[in-house]
């Protein structure tokens, strides 16, 4: 999952970004409205978290732009404006949720996950595919009933692959959806993470490499094929 945080207080924006990363949610930050609009044009996000009072186009203007674009991108307004009239205005502008400052980080994470789940392109709260169960709320993974401990990045990559339902996901798309804007497009991080994830899930291998295309979960005959690090090397490099 990838989130855009629009917040002009650098310390708060950094704290929210770091808190989301701990929950395996990639996050980009924008300190003003112009930067926010540029990032929205460049990247695909699952949720936009907007402060209303920011330099340049306001958070309200950003919300209007998102609604006008017709993307269906869920909007969570995160602001100090806590009067009922302020909340009413926010919802009238197109906000899907409204959280006032100060707030608990855990509540923000839960609200973001709930919004992403309700989005048109979202999938059920708990994802199951080829014997793998991914629970985003608890950040837990099981394979054939066995708990699998994953790092935050491994979890994020697996979630994208499982949500694809067996479809092929390119290394470029994994980099876009599981990393943030600071990721080096020439990095080997995707290949390395997938290789480590494959080992964590154990044999028989369930993540297949499609040479020159990307990766997918083996739903046809899960685990029937052997995929080693040499096969992984043939995957597109992010």
């Amino acid at each position: 999952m990838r989130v855009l945080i629009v917040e002009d207080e650098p310390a708060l924006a950094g704290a929210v970004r770091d808190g989301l990363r701990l929950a395996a949610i990639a996050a980009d930050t924008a300190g003003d409205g112009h930067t926010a609009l540029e990032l929205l044009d460049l990247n695909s996000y699952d949720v936009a978290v907007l402060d209303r009072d920011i330099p340049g186009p306001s958070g309200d203007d950003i919300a209007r732009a998102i609604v006008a674009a017709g993307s269906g991108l869920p909007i969570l307004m995160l602001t100090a404006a806590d009067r009922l009239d302020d909340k009413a205005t926010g919802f009238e502008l197109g906000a899907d949720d409204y959280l006032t400052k100060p707030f608990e980080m855990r509540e923000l994470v839960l609200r973001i996950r709930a919004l992403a789940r309700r989005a048109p392109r979202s999938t059920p709260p708990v994802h199951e595919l080829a014997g793998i169960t991914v629970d985003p709320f608890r950040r837990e993974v099981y394979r054939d009933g066995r708990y699998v401990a994953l790092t935050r990045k491994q979890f994020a990559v697996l979630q994208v692959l499982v949500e694809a339902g067996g479809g092929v996901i390119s290394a470029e798309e994994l980099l876009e959806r599981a990393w943030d804007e600071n990721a080096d497009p020439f990095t080997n991080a995707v290949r390395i993470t997938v290789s480590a994830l494959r080992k964590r899930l154990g044999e028989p291998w369930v993540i297949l490499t499609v040479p020159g295309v990307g990766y997918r979960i083996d739903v046809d005959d899960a685990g029937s094929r052997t995929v080693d690090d040499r096969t992984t090397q043939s995957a597109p490099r992010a």
Side-chain angles (χ1 to χ4, degrees):
M1 183 190 304
R2 189 172 181 182
V3 173
L4 175 62
I5 306 161
V6 184
E7 170 59 59
D8 65 333
E9 295 183 20
L12 179 57
V16 172
R17 179 197 60 211
D18 294 344
L20 293 181
R21 287 177 178 174
L22 287 173
I25 299 173
D28 298 336
T29 60
D32 59 77
H34 292 295
T35 302
L37 291 173
E38 290 174 1
L39 290 175
L40 286 167
D41 284 338
L42 289 172
N43 305 310
S44 176
Y45 294 102
D46 296 285
V47 177
V49 179
L50 308 179
D51 182 10
R52 299 182 68 177
D53 187 15
I54 57 172
S58 67
D60 290 358
D61 293 330
I62 302 300
R64 292 188 186 96
I66 291 173
V67 172
S71 64
L73 176 65
I75 299 169
L76 189 156
M77 287 190 169
L78 182 65
T79 174
D82 58 358
R83 296 182 307 165
L84 182 57
D85 287 346
D86 294 323
K87 295 179 182 180
T89 302
F91 283 113
E92 289 169 359
L93 288 169
D96 299 278
D97 200 356
Y98 200 104
L99 183 60
T100 58
K101 303 173 183 177
F103 60 93
E104 293 287 340
M105 190 66 212
R106 184 183 178 192
E107 181 178 2
L108 176 60
V109 170
L110 291 172
R111 286 173 181 257
I112 286 174
R113 291 202 183 280
L115 286 176
R117 188 176 73 244
R118 295 200 300 266
R121 63 179 178 179
S122 66
T123 50
V126 176
H127 319 296
E128 298 182 1
L129 187 71
I132 298 174
T133 301
V134 178
D135 187 335
F137 277 86
R138 293 185 173 86
R139 210 170 73 78
E140 293 178 348
V141 170
Y142 295 86
R143 183 174 186 190
D144 297 327
R146 171 181 60 87
Y147 175 73
V148 181
L150 299 179
T151 67
R152 293 188 295 273
K153 196 58 65 182
Q154 290 166 359
F155 183 93
V157 168
L158 180 62
Q159 183 177 356
V160 174
L161 290 172
V162 170
E163 287 178 355
V168 179
I169 301 293
S170 68
E172 291 77 14
E173 185 175 353
L174 282 174
L175 192 68
E176 178 180 339
R177 295 182 61 186
W179 277 260
D180 59 30
E181 64 176 340
N182 295 314
D184 180 356
F186 301 104
T187 184
N188 288 325
V190 172
R191 178 177 58 81
I192 293 170
T193 301
V194 169
S195 179
L197 172 59
R198 197 178 273 141
K199 293 174 182 177
R200 289 286 185 97
L201 291 171
E203 297 186 22
W205 308 125
V206 71
I207 300 177
L208 302 182
T209 298
V210 181
V213 182
Y215 306 94
R216 71 178 181 88
I217 299 295
D218 185 3
V219 296
D220 301 320
D221 192 5
S224 64
R225 307 174 203 179
T226 300
V227 183
D228 58 23
D229 288 340
R230 289 172 297 177
T231 305
T232 305
Q233 294 284 351
S234 66
R237 302 177 74 173

